Amino acid sequence: MTNSEIASAFEQIADLLEFQGANAFRVRAYRNAGRTLHDLSEPVERIVANHDRSLTDLSGIGADLAEKITTLVRTGTLPMLDELRGQVPESVLMLMRVPGLGPKKAAKLFRELDVKTLAELRAACETHRVQELEGFGAKTEAAILSGMTLAESPESQRMYWADADVFAQAILAHLRPCRSIKQMEMAGSYRRGRDTIGDLDVVVESTDPNEVMDRLAKFPNIEATLGRGETKMSIRLRSGLQVDLRIVPGESYGAALLYFTGSKQHNIVLRGMAKDRGMRINEYGVFRVPRGAHEEEDESENRRGLSSFVERPPSPGGRKQKGTVPLSAGGSQTVSKLEYLAGRTEEEVYATLDLPLFAPETREARFEFEWAKAGPLPKLVEVRDIQGDLHMHTTESDGKGSLEEMIAAARERGLKYIAITDHSKRVSMANGLDGKRLRKQWKQIDALNEQLTGFRVLKGVEVDILERGGLDLPDDVLAEADWVVASVHYGQNQSSAQITKRIVDALANPHVSAIAHPTGRIINRRKPYEVDLEAVFEAAKQHGKLLELNSNPARLDLDDVHCMAARRHGVPIVISTDAHSTVGLDVLRFGILQARRAGLTKADVANTQPWEKMKKMIGS
C-alpha cells in the first residue's frame, strides 16, 4: 500500500472515532499518525519489511499503532476500520465533504435530525431546521448551504494529482517487466497536470496484449476488474481510482497518446484543422480522405467499433499494407479507402497540421494555438530553474524541521537561497512569533549566514493580514526582514469588498514582498474567498509586488487560470513550497506543473532569478 493510502485509513479512523464521540486524545493519536505517515518520504512498506528499523521510531507511532500499520500493509485491510465503517452509514461520511462540517457537527445532524445524505442536509438547511440545533445558528446554516455546491460537485470525488502520481508511477513500474512492451505512458488529465484526477489512462505499444493485461491483473492494489477485451482493460483500485489500459500498435501509438491525453477541446481544434485539409485525425492516426468522399459523424456507431478498409503505412519493405482499422474518434466512415499519413509519434501527428509538439500541460485550447501562430513555442518553466524557496516553516512555529534541518534539506536540493517564514503572532494555534521571538530567530539566521558559502538564508516571516485590515506585526519589525509574505488566515467569509481591501492595503505596505496563497482555496474542501483578483493584480503591479503560487498539492493557489491572468497583468509569480518539514520541500514540482499549465516561462517566475536580482524586483 502507498503511504497516502495508509495515511488516509488512519485519518478516516480519526474521523469515525470523532463522529462517535470517542476520547479526544485517542482521536488525536490517529490523526497525528495519519499526518506522520503522509509526510513520510520513505515507503512505509519498506520500514515494515526492514527488521533493522521499527515503526515506533516514527514520531507519534506507538506499539499499538505500529501493529495496526503492519496489519494494513500486509493484508490490505484493518479490522478496526472495517468495524467502524459498519457502524456509520457510508452516505453520512459524505456530509463531512461540506466545508466546515467536521465529524462532531455531522454526528449531531445525523443523531438529532436523522440527516444521512447530502440531499437530506440541503433540505434541512432550506427548511431552517439546522439553525435550530444547539451550536449551529443561522450563520452556520447559511455557510453549510453555501458549501453544499462544492460537496455535491463531481470534482469533490477527484483525487489530488500528487496522490494519483503515486499510483501512476507504481502501475508503470509494475508493467515494465513485460518484454512485449515497446513504449508506454500515462495519458489523460494526469499527463496534462490537472490539480485533480478522475482516473488514470495508460497507453501501451505492445506485441502481446495478453501479456500486458495479465500483468496488470496482478497489480496488488486491485479491488475489481471492470472489463477486459482484446486491447483494453479497466480496473478499480482499493482507493476507488479507475485505471484504463489501452494497447495499440506502433503505427498508432503517438496518435493514441495524443488523443487520450486530450483535452477534449484541444482535440476538437485538431480535428477541425484536419478536416479543413481533407484529413481525418483520431486515436489510430492521421488519414487522407479521398476527394468527394462523404463522412458521416456517428458517435454511437463509433462506440460499437465500426471499421473501414484503409491503406496502412508502408511496411519495412516499402509496400503499402492494407487492412481494417477502427476509426472511432468522432464517428464511422462510409468511405472505402483512406491513406495513412502519420501516427507513430505525437510529433509527426502535429506535423501533418504544421503544428509544433505542444507540452501536454498546455493542451487546453486556451493559448497554445495562438502561440504556434506567433512563432516558436516559449520554453516553459522547469523545477531546475528555481533558485530559491521563499515560504517555509520551522519548529519555531508549526513546522517539523529545525532551522538547520531546513537549510540542509534546501541545499541538498540544489537551491541557492531560502526564506524562513514562520507564522506571526496572530496565528496562535501555530505558535506564531511576536516581534521579540522573530528578532531572536533573525539573529540566528545572521550567525548562520556568516558560516555559509554559496547559499543565503533570508530573514522572513508570514505575517497575518488582520480581519480589520493592517498587519499583525509593526512596521519597525517588518523593516528588518529580507522577505515578508502576507497571508489571510482569518475572516475568510468577509464580503468581497472587505477581503479585497485587506489584501490591496497589504500590497501597499512598503515592507510586504508578496501575498501567499492569494485565494485561500483548499481543493475539494474550501472554496476560494470572495476576492477581486483583478484589483489585486492591479495593486501588485502598481506597488511592484509579487503573488505566490503555493505548491502544496491541496492548495495550488494561485490556480492555472489566475496565474495566466497575473502574467497578462505583468505581475511576476513566486513559486514556493510552504514546507512544514524537510520532505515538504519536494512539493515544488507540483507548483511547477501548475505554472506550466498556465504557460509560465522562466521569465514569468521571480524566484528563477538570483536573490540580488529579486531584491531589485521588490524594491528591497
Side-chain angles (χ1 to χ4, degrees):
M1 296 185 73
T2 66
N3 287 12
S4 178
E5 284 182 296
I6 300 168
S8 294
F10 279 80
E11 287 162 1
Q12 189 171 61
I13 288 174
D15 284 343
L16 290 167
L17 287 173
E18 189 172 357
F19 183 93
Q20 295 182 340
N23 180 281
F25 292 102
R26 189 180 180 209
V27 172
R28 192 176 302 123
Y30 283 98
R31 210 172 293 288
N32 288 342
R35 278 196 290 267
T36 296
L37 297 172
H38 191 275
D39 291 342
L40 192 65
S41 58
E42 182 180 3
V44 175
E45 286 185 337
R46 187 181 301 165
I47 299 176
V48 170
N50 184 358
H51 299 296
D52 296 329
R53 189 178 176 197
S54 173
L55 287 167
T56 55
D57 295 335
L58 301 176
S59 174
I61 306 296
D64 180 62
L65 290 174
E67 183 180 349
K68 287 182 170 63
I69 294 169
T70 301
T71 299
L72 195 55
V73 167
R74 289 177 175 169
T75 68
T77 61
L78 189 57
M80 177 187 178
L81 179 56
D82 292 339
E83 183 180 343
L84 287 170
R85 285 171 174 163
Q87 295 168 358
V88 180
E90 186 175 350
S91 61
V92 175
L93 299 179
M94 292 292 291
L95 302 181
M96 288 183 277
R97 291 184 179 273
V98 179
L101 197 58
K104 288 183 179 178
K105 286 186 175 179
K108 196 173 184 71
L109 290 165
F110 173 59
R111 294 188 184 113
E112 299 190 24
L113 296 182
D114 195 31
V115 168
K116 298 184 291 294
T117 67
L118 289 173
E120 291 173 356
L121 177 59
R122 178 178 287 280
C125 287
E126 290 174 343
T127 55
H128 303 303
R129 290 186 293 138
V130 171
Q131 64 178 264
E132 296 172 0
L133 292 178
E134 183 181 352
F136 281 75
K139 286 186 178 180
T140 300
E141 183 179 78
I144 292 173
L145 200 53
S146 175
M148 289 291 295
T149 302
L150 183 63
E152 292 169 333
S153 167
E155 287 290 317
S156 70
Q157 308 298 316
R158 293 169 64 90
M159 179 180 289
Y160 292 158
W161 188 95
D163 292 336
D165 181 54
V166 176
F167 293 107
Q169 298 309 315
I171 289 166
L172 293 176
H174 180 76
L175 293 177
R176 281 192 188 102
C178 292
R179 293 185 177 182
S180 66
I181 291 180
K182 304 301 181 183
Q183 51 187 333
M184 68 175 169
E185 193 162 347
M186 286 288 169
S189 56
Y190 169 83
R191 188 168 180 237
R192 300 200 314 277
R194 281 198 58 183
D195 46 27
T196 60
I197 305 301
D199 52 29
L200 290 175
D201 297 280
V202 196
V203 178
V204 176
E205 179 196 348
S206 170
T207 55
D208 187 351
N210 283 325
E211 182 198 20
V212 181
M213 290 189 284
D214 288 345
R215 178 70 181 174
L216 181 61
K218 295 177 181 177
F219 188 68
N221 288 323
I222 293 180
E223 180 179 81
T225 298
L226 304 178
R228 176 169 173 169
E230 293 183 2
T231 59
K232 180 181 176 180
M233 181 177 179
S234 294
I235 60 174
R236 184 173 63 244
L237 305 182
R238 286 196 299 262
S239 65
L241 188 67
Q242 181 169 322
V243 181
D244 294 324
L245 170 69
R246 292 176 172 86
I247 303 169
V248 299
E251 67 202 51
S252 298
Y253 179 78
L257 183 59
L258 191 158
Y259 177 81
F260 289 113
T261 293
S263 66
K264 178 181 178 180
Q265 291 75 16
H266 183 86
N267 288 348
I268 287 172
V269 174
L270 294 181
R271 289 203 297 271
M273 295 177 70
K275 186 175 182 180
D276 290 344
R277 295 178 177 222
M279 295 187 292
R280 182 82 168 171
I281 184 170
N282 57 33
E283 67 263 45
Y284 299 98
V286 184
F287 302 88
R288 177 77 64 190
V289 178
R291 184 174 298 177
H294 172 64
E295 294 185 59
E296 181 181 329
E297 299 290 336
D298 188 344
E299 189 65 26
S300 61
E301 291 296 308
N302 157 48
R303 291 183 185 279
R304 289 201 292 269
L306 282 183
S307 304
S308 294
F309 189 66
V310 305
E311 215 167 10
R312 294 270 193 164
S315 66
R319 297 179 59 187
K320 288 184 177 179
Q321 305 174 50
K322 294 184 178 180
T324 300
V325 176
L327 299 175
S328 64
S332 61
Q333 294 268 9
T334 59
V335 298
S336 60
K337 192 174 183 181
L338 297 175
E339 178 189 358
Y340 173 98
L341 299 177
R344 294 185 179 277
T345 67
E346 289 185 312
E347 190 169 15
E348 72 174 31
V349 171
Y350 280 122
T352 62
L353 303 175
D354 295 320
L355 291 172
L357 177 63
F358 295 111
E361 300 94 328
T362 66
R363 300 180 193 177
E364 300 289 351
R366 296 190 293 204
F367 54 77
E368 68 269 31
F369 294 107
E370 286 70 22
W371 270 5
K373 289 178 183 177
L377 298 180
K379 188 175 186 301
L380 301 179
V381 66
E382 300 178 8
V383 171
R384 63 185 178 184
D385 293 328
I386 300 297
Q387 297 200 35
D389 189 343
L390 296 167
H391 188 169
M392 65 182 65
H393 301 269
T394 73
T395 50
E396 281 296 307
S397 61
D398 60 344
K400 295 181 179 178
S402 67
L403 176 59
E404 292 80 5
E405 288 171 336
M406 298 303 286
I407 292 171
R411 298 191 78 178
E412 287 173 5
R413 287 158 175 78
L415 296 176
K416 303 299 183 186
Y417 57 91
I418 60 173
I420 300 297
T421 56
D422 279 309
H423 288 288
S424 55
K425 61 183 182 180
R426 175 67 178 88
V427 192
S428 55
M429 60 184 289
N431 192 30
L433 284 68
D434 58 17
K436 183 177 180 180
R437 288 177 61 205
L438 198 54
R439 282 173 167 142
K440 181 180 178 182
Q441 184 187 62
W442 289 348
K443 284 183 180 180
Q444 288 180 273
I445 291 174
D446 284 337
L448 285 168
N449 275 327
E450 291 179 3
Q451 304 169 23
L452 296 169
T453 55
F455 189 84
R456 173 77 180 271
V457 185
L458 307 180
K459 295 181 292 188
V461 63
E462 183 177 6
V463 64
D464 228 52
I465 303 174
L466 299 172
E467 296 96 313
R468 65 176 182 272
L471 307 175
D472 76 330
L473 287 173
D475 282 354
D476 66 309
V477 173
L478 299 178
E480 298 175 26
D482 298 310
W483 177 261
V484 176
V485 58
S487 305
V488 170
H489 287 108
Y490 300 94
Q492 296 186 359
N493 292 324
Q494 289 179 337
S495 68
S496 177
Q498 286 175 298
I499 210 159
T500 301
K501 186 177 188 306
R502 288 166 63 190
I503 295 175
V504 167
D505 287 350
L507 286 166
N509 185 297
H511 307 299
V512 168
S513 311
I515 301 295
H517 37 77
T519 74
R521 76 165 181 169
I522 302 294
I523 299 171
N524 292 345
R525 291 296 300 160
R526 185 172 74 202
K527 293 189 300 183
Y529 31 72
E530 297 293 332
V531 57
D532 180 354
L533 281 175
E534 286 297 306
V536 171
F537 294 144
E538 291 172 8
K541 179 69 174 177
Q542 177 186 348
H543 299 292
K545 304 299 174 66
L546 312 178
L547 296 178
E548 179 187 80
L549 195 177
N550 189 296
S551 298
N552 184 311
R555 287 188 182 272
L556 295 175
D557 179 15
L558 293 167
D559 67 18
D560 52 346
V561 173
H562 292 137
C563 281
M564 290 167 56
R567 182 186 66 191
R568 188 176 67 249
H569 282 268
V571 177
I573 294 295
V574 55
I575 304 176
S576 300
T577 63
D578 196 0
H580 284 65
S581 66
T582 55
V583 175
L585 294 171
D586 293 329
V587 305
L588 180 65
R589 67 190 183 102
F590 307 135
I592 293 293
L593 196 60
Q594 185 85 310
R596 290 172 64 87
R597 283 182 55 78
L600 300 191
T601 67
K602 182 176 177 180
D604 299 315
V605 180
N607 52 324
T608 61
Q609 300 299 318
W611 170 242
E612 293 305 318
K613 285 190 176 181
M614 269 207 69
K615 281 176 66 175
K616 296 176 181 177
M617 293 178 67
I618 58 174
S620 295

